[in-house]
Amino acid sequence: MALEERAVALLQQLLRHRTVNPPGDERALQEELAAELRDAGFEVELVGRTPERPNLVARLRGAADGPVLGLLSHVDTVLADPDEWQRDPWSGDLVDGEVWGRGAQDMKSQTAAEVAAALDLAQSGWRPAHGDLLVIVVVDEETGGEDGAIWLTENHPDLVRCDFLLNEGGGTVIPHGDERLYGVCTAEKGVFRFSLTTRGAAGHASMPNVADNALPKLAPLLTALAERRPSLDLTEAPMALLDALDLEDLDALRVANPGLAAFAEPMSSVTFAPTIISAGTKINVIPSAATLTVDCRVPPGHGRATAERRMAEVLDGLGNGYEVTWIEEVVGNGSPTESPLMDALRRWVAGEDPGARVVPTMLPAYTDSRAFRDAFPECVAYGFFPQREMNLYEMWPLVHGKDERIAAADVGFAARCYRAVAQELLA
């Protein structure tokens, strides 16, 4: 109970720092964490691209060589509009067993749980028998990580090199029939964003028949991207999930658990989400060009060739009267679904929630785990923040949404997980 109380109090402290990114302004928060970890016996460094946004790295050295376990989190958040919330987004209020505030789910709760577990271990006199325990608290995840995980792994790789890593991306309980499943995020999709441009000829809007309006030419492209689905590109994580559920394919999952299928479908294929459309700048001028911007996510390990093939499949039959411009290209990555870290999580869940089990999942988006896998190819990086008071379908709308909050019991639940996993892997 003392560990839960400590983790909850730390979460409230973190939530009261307004670290909306941009600008982030995480220094004050990071200095508070650094002081606590240093006092507990950790070697602590604050390093960053700018003084206002340092990343925190705290190391608890072991007695002998062995694996390095990293506990990773970020402390920047997205914005919040107080007028839309029932409570102040930066209050950190504890009400009816729930802690409220921007970042309560994404992801200051995990920072609090990881730091509380690390402090509890160090202050009890525990030290790794083999290897080191790293606490890594970064900035700038919400806008891509250029000042955070990417900068840190590129500029200080020896400081944060690790064999195992726990981060965000999974862990909330998933109801499945009579079962309780805890998803372990083992992989993340890549980003291949592009734009489609159609051309025409400008003219006065009062005479549309003598111009060639580029804007309506986007309509069939927009409709196809919104309504058609490309063929599947199954990778290790969704295949392992189906295998763990003893199901043959996604069709079987749709029958067995439609809610889980809605989360699993984006894991299994390229996705296209039209998000921005632009054309003319004056209401009385027919636009000569129109552009549709598309957020495209691609399964890990697949590159532009896969994105192009699936785009051609979705836009088949619509001709070639459009231009494609690639805006951003990042290949997704993943870690093996079987590892000593997965075994440790299985054992912990079995002990804490008898009858429940873990299953591999994939995040349709991406986290800072991507930077660590890129920098350290042998690193096994998983997303796992266990929650059982709220299930996945109740929790997910709160992420980046209004009235973000978390059950205090789950903050303690997660802290117990991180403490136990560290003790097992670094024995």
Side-chain angles (χ1 to χ4, degrees), residues 137-272:
V137 183
V138 300
V139 304
D140 198 39
E141 191 273 346
E142 294 293 357
T143 58
E146 293 295 334
D147 284 351
I150 294 174
W151 182 89
L152 194 57
T153 54
E154 289 180 350
N155 291 274
H156 295 275
D158 292 339
L159 190 62
V160 295
R161 189 183 307 276
C162 51
D163 301 285
F164 303 110
L165 187 76
L166 285 172
N167 184 29
E168 65 180 335
T172 305
V173 73
I174 308 167
H176 181 65
D178 295 330
E179 287 192 285
R180 293 164 60 81
L181 308 176
Y182 290 85
V184 179
C185 179
T186 63
E188 299 167 359
K189 295 180 81 172
V191 175
F192 284 81
R193 296 181 172 121
F194 61 89
S195 64
L196 301 175
T197 300
T198 53
R199 304 282 180 187
H204 199 287
S206 67
M207 296 286 287
N209 58 319
V210 299
D212 183 13
N213 196 332
L215 183 55
K217 297 178 183 181
L218 285 178
L221 304 175
L222 178 61
T223 300
L225 289 167
E227 296 180 354
R228 297 180 184 177
R229 296 291 178 267
S231 301
L232 301 182
D233 290 291
L234 284 169
T235 53
E236 182 182 6
M239 291 175 67
L241 172 62
L242 291 170
D243 184 63
L245 300 178
D246 197 25
L247 296 171
E248 290 186 2
D249 52 30
L250 278 175
D251 287 337
L253 180 57
R254 291 185 188 100
V255 173
N257 191 333
L260 179 54
F263 281 84
E265 287 170 1
M267 303 179 197
S268 307
S269 67
V270 175
T271 58
F272 301 103

